[in-house]
Amino acid sequence: MRWPGSLQARLALGLGLGLALLWLATAWATATILRGEMNEVFDSALEETAQRILPLAVMDIIDREEQGVSQRIATLRSHEELFTYIVRDDQDRVLLRSHGTENVVFPAFDGMGFRQTATHRLYYDAALQGTITIAVAEPLSHRADVAREALTGLALPLVVVIPISLLGVLVVVRRSLRPVRRFSRALAGRGARDLSEVGNSNLPNEILPVAEAVNNLLDRLRRTLEAERNFTANAAHELRTPVAAALAQTQRLMAETPDPAVTQRAGEIETALKRLTRLSEKLMQLARAEGGRLRRDTATDLRPVLRMVVSDLEGIAGKERIDLELSDAPVLSDIDPDAFAILARNLIENALRHGTGEAPVQVILTPRRTLRVINEGSSVPPETLARLTARFERGQAKSEGSGLGLSIAKAIADGAQATLTLQSPSPGRADGFEASFQAPTGRQPN
């Protein structure tokens, strides 16, 4: 038997089985004691019957005119005779017997007291210096029937008491563990980004230290992540102004200098500054993805957001580079539109940057809230594909990029309790790359 994994089931099963075994052991002990007491009562009844009948039988025998004659006591009405008796003289002649007596039941007299055969319990007594004896017999089956009825009387209530006890144990255990179940659901139901304190009210003293340790750990994690996000966001934000100023000065230098060597060197500086500008923007997007609320209380249509993102990128890469396919029906999701725009932009930029061939990047938004971004290119090995969502991971690509695009998209998907799937080759093709984002719907879970 496999022990249940649930603490509630373990307690209910253990206490229930223990209680049932205790009831059964108590009933067995009671039945054993009761059987011994009943035997004492029946033996006393045998002895009392013999001592009451023997004086009457002696007087009846003495008053007879003819000695040694056997007489059977007649009965007034038919009935079951549980006690039978027989009176004999010292020559073992039967002088008196009850109406249902059979001689074979009564062995010869060999002394006063109790005897037991295979079928009967007997008591022997004597009078007139042993010249007249009496034997009273009771069938052992009668005692067995009485004991069985008594045991049944004890067992039948247990048939009702044990299930009620088990139900009572289950109810008490369930009510007692209600705060523990509430604490467990609070931990299991929260998202990966939810590091708020878990309520620990009414928890048992044995579980309270665990709850406090979990809350302390969540608090330390929250402070650590907030410090990291704040540093990333502040650093990226503070870099924008000096980088923009340096870029402007570099471009002015390029316009004013007549020296081709200086112009070439300034062009290299301009390229590096532009790369730094893109990196700071990506870092700010990453901070936005890892912090803040990525789900809203109401659902909005994702098509206008995607259309705006594609239109902006078409102005940079060219309309022929992007093939947009939108659903005719509204595509509703409660993901934050800004977060969705950041995710879509990074996925499409990644496809534009790393795609090859003449075929445009396919951007598809299905009625089931699935965003698919597909580009041509050689297949990505599985081991590389598994690392693409890591920060600053650029795979085997030789084009320029920060290595943060897919990491930002993954962070947004995780924070919104959605899924981002990367596949290579693209489904239905021999090569290519596809990023598929399944947007959430409904209200944000607590």
Side-chain angles (χ1 to χ4, degrees):
M1 177 181 176
R2 185 178 179 182
W3 200 248
S6 168
L7 176 62
Q8 174 178 297
R10 289 185 179 185
L11 287 175
L13 182 60
L15 292 175
L17 289 177
L19 187 60
L21 292 176
L22 179 62
W23 275 105
L24 293 175
T26 302
W28 177 82
T30 303
T32 301
I33 296 173
L34 185 60
R35 181 188 292 272
E37 295 295 329
M38 286 191 302
N39 287 333
E40 290 183 7
V41 171
F42 287 134
D43 286 348
S44 176
L46 281 176
E47 184 177 0
E48 185 71 20
T49 301
Q51 292 179 2
R52 286 179 177 273
I53 293 176
L54 183 57
L56 299 177
V58 169
M59 293 179 61
D60 178 71
I61 293 171
I62 292 175
D63 290 342
R64 291 179 183 175
E65 294 181 358
E66 185 178 356
Q67 301 296 320
V69 177
S70 177
Q71 181 179 357
R72 186 183 297 269
I73 301 298
T75 179
L76 297 177
R77 63 185 65 86
S78 177
H79 66 280
E80 183 182 4
E81 193 173 30
L82 298 178
F83 289 144
T84 57
Y85 62 91
I86 188 170
V87 179
R88 296 188 178 102
D89 60 12
D90 53 354
Q91 299 178 17
D92 203 29
R93 292 179 298 181
V94 177
L95 304 178
L96 189 66
R97 71 179 69 189
S98 58
H99 75 280
T101 300
E102 297 179 2
N103 292 348
V104 70
V105 174
F106 298 88
F109 179 83
D110 62 354
M112 296 188 299
F114 292 97
R115 288 184 60 185
Q116 185 166 313
T117 65
T119 58
H120 286 74
R121 177 78 169 172
L122 301 101
Y123 178 76
Y124 288 85
D125 208 342
L128 299 181
Q129 298 180 352
T131 57
I132 298 178
T133 62
I134 186 172
V136 182
E138 177 193 7
L140 294 178
S141 60
H142 172 243
R143 296 194 177 192
D145 291 341
V146 174
R148 186 166 47 251
E149 290 176 2
L151 185 60
T152 302
L154 289 174
L156 284 179
L158 294 182
V159 176
V160 178
V161 170
I162 290 179
I164 293 177
S165 301
L166 294 178
L167 181 61
V169 167
L170 180 61
V171 170
V172 171
V173 170
R174 187 174 180 83
R175 289 179 62 88
S176 300
L177 293 180
R178 184 179 299 170
V180 179
R181 294 198 308 274
R182 186 165 54 245
F183 179 75
S184 176
R185 288 194 299 267
L187 286 178
R190 60 177 45 207
R193 301 290 178 180
D194 187 3
L195 298 178
S196 60
E197 182 177 329
V198 184
N200 56 6
S201 59
N202 298 326
L203 280 177
N205 293 334
E206 293 80 2
I207 305 297
L208 193 57
V210 177
E212 293 176 351
V214 169
N215 285 330
N216 291 335
L217 177 60
L218 291 176
D219 183 62
R220 289 196 298 271
L221 287 174
R222 183 174 60 254
R223 290 199 304 267
T224 302
L225 292 177
E226 286 178 355
E228 180 183 349
R229 286 195 297 265
N230 291 336
F231 173 78
T232 303
N234 293 335
H237 180 74
E238 293 299 327
L239 279 174
R240 296 180 67 181
T241 300
V243 169
L247 182 60
Q249 292 296 330
T250 302
Q251 292 172 345
R252 182 178 179 181
L253 177 63
M254 292 174 59
E256 292 178 352
T257 182
D259 189 346
V262 174
T263 302
Q264 181 182 0
R265 182 63 60 85
E268 294 174 356
I269 296 174
E270 180 188 26
T271 301
L273 290 174
K274 287 182 177 179
R275 186 181 302 116
L276 184 57
T277 300
R278 289 194 299 270
L279 178 60
S280 64
E281 291 178 354
K282 294 298 182 183
L283 289 175
M284 292 187 66
Q285 290 180 0
L286 182 61
R288 170 71 175 86
E290 293 183 339
R293 188 178 180 188
L294 302 181
R295 302 277 291 274
R296 303 178 66 179
D297 293 333
T298 58
T300 56
D301 190 0
L302 299 181
R303 294 179 302 167
V305 179
L306 184 60
R307 193 180 291 113
M308 179 184 65
V309 172
V310 171
S311 177
D312 185 32
L313 291 175
E314 284 178 343
I316 300 174
K319 290 187 177 182
E320 70 282 356
R321 293 295 311 280
I322 303 177
D323 182 11
L324 178 62
E325 182 180 335
L326 295 177
S327 170
D328 295 332
V331 181
L332 301 178
S333 174
D334 63 357
I335 188 172
D336 183 78
D338 291 339
F340 178 73
I342 294 174
L343 178 141
R345 186 179 187 92
N346 279 279
L347 293 182
I348 299 173
E349 283 181 344
N350 181 79
L352 290 172
R353 183 174 296 112
H354 302 295
T356 60
E358 299 296 331
V361 172
Q362 289 183 278
V363 181
I364 305 171
L365 184 61
T366 69
R368 295 183 177 273
R369 307 178 310 282
T370 302
L371 172 64
R372 301 175 62 199
V373 180
I374 308 169
N375 63 271
E376 286 189 350
S378 58
S379 299
V380 180
E383 60 274 10
T384 303
L385 191 67
R387 301 195 310 266
L388 287 181
T389 55
R391 298 181 184 181
F392 305 106
E393 176 64 42
R394 302 181 63 248
Q396 299 174 335
K398 301 185 184 321
S399 58
E400 294 183 357
S402 62
L404 288 174
L406 293 179
S407 177
I408 293 171
K410 178 63 174 175
I412 292 176
D414 291 343
Q417 292 85 47
T419 55
L420 176 65
T421 305
L422 305 181
Q423 295 175 287
S424 183
S426 178
R429 300 187 182 187
D431 56 6
F433 181 87
E434 176 176 337
S436 177
F437 172 71
Q438 181 63 52
T441 185
R443 295 183 63 86
Q444 182 177 5
N446 294 327

